[in-house]
Amino acid sequence: MGVTKTQHFTGEQNRLAALAKALGHPARVAILQHLLKQQTCICGDLVSELPLAQATVSQHLKELKAVGLIKGTVEGTSVCYCIDKQNWEEARDMFLQLFSSPVACQDNCC
């Protein structure tokens, strides 16, 4: 993969791209939907909810945590995950701002 030259873009553009990349896998979307539905921290039962191996689920959780959409706390020998409310709302606002921007192109162009 080539160099992305992220330094040529604003912090907001880079943040939005990182969030979009994290959301770009259906397993991660499923994890987020499950955490939102439960409205509580989940310890360990994500693997039973998804048709994926433990290692694969852990990798997806790591990606979601890296961009701040979820947070994890250690409880005994397990890690409990939940939505990071502040970052979730920030991400929602960023996507809403992007998608509520007016489209300059008319229906008959392109």
Side-chain angles (χ1 to χ4, degrees), residues 55-90:
T56 305
V57 172
S58 293
Q59 185 61 38
H60 288 303
L61 289 166
K62 179 181 172 185
E63 295 293 326
L64 291 169
K65 190 174 178 189
V67 296
L69 290 175
I70 65 172
K71 55 186 173 182
T73 56
V74 177
E75 291 188 13
T77 59
S78 63
V79 181
C80 296
Y81 292 97
C82 58
I83 299 292
D84 184 314
K85 188 175 189 245
Q86 182 178 349
N87 288 335
W88 181 263
E89 290 173 355
E90 174 197 0

Side-chain angles (χ1 to χ4, degrees), residues 32-44:
L32 290 169
Q33 288 174 326
H34 183 71
L35 292 173
L36 288 164
K37 182 175 67 176
Q38 297 301 316
Q39 296 183 344
T40 186
C41 289
I42 304 297
C43 300

